[in-house]
Amino acid sequence: MGITRVLTGALLALGIAAAPAAADSTPSPSASEDGQAPTRAGTSFRTATEIEQEQQATASGSTGDYLYWSFPADAGQRPNVRATVKLPQTHTAETWQLDVYDGLRRRQSCQYGAQTRTAAEGTASVELACILRTVRSWSEPWANDPLPGTYYIRLTVVNLADSDLGQPVNAEVHVDSKGIGGSAAVDGSLAEPLVPGAAVKAEAESGSGSGSGSDEDTSSKSAVLSSLEPDDGWSSGWWSDRWVWTAVGGALAALAGVGGYALTRGSGRPTRVPPNV
């Protein structure tokens, strides 16, 4: 009976530990259901068009332009950025490139995907892709690891004949992410995500209690340049499935200890009974 109660308690604890992981794995509704997808792109980091993940953004431009979009990415996600450029009917060979930058405007390397491609003469379209490294909740200051916050997409042509300069093109951009989980989790988290305007907002909030400055100054300082964030907020790595595996390991260790004790303690009676004298 004692062993049965221990086993039941261990399995109950294991079920409780696994419940948050099941809740966390529930997919969130697509951001495209909330509104229309953007139909234009920015021309710089400051004017980048904000898009949600799972949205199909489109834009019209000219060859030689720089097209910018921005999207939020949280810890544990591996963003997948894809772009399609529809070219004019007549053109010479031209090379297009897709670059992704983090909230500090550091160019992030692509783990997979064709970041640069050359469209041969007369090609109708060219497709680019960039799968980033997994976003980490914390990193060393000297490292170039992806961190939670706003990410920028820049699409442009890097090799173009003068005769094709200024020809009209259409671009499509789509961003989604794969949840990696505890295999990429690290200890530590950022105080704030790398979102443009976050530092200015924090400074304005800290100075609001002193009573100095007018309401107009406070409202202008608290303006945030990026309004998008993940549907469930910035988790910053507070949860990972490493907790579940830690609980599983602890439960298995407890079961092994109980089983070993049951096997080695014996029946409690001596193996040989001395003869009566």
Side-chain angles (χ1 to χ4, degrees), residues 6 10 249-259:
V6 173
L252 293 178
L255 294 177
V258 172

Side-chain angles (χ1 to χ4, degrees), residues 7 14 23 25 49 53 114 129 160 205 209 219 223-224 234 256 259:
L7 293 176
L14 179 60
S25 62
T49 299
Q53 293 196 29
L160 180 71
E205 291 177 350
S219 61
V224 179
W234 297 105

Side-chain angles (χ1 to χ4, degrees), residues 17 44 117 181 183 254 264:
S44 66
R117 273 188 172 177
S183 61
T264 58

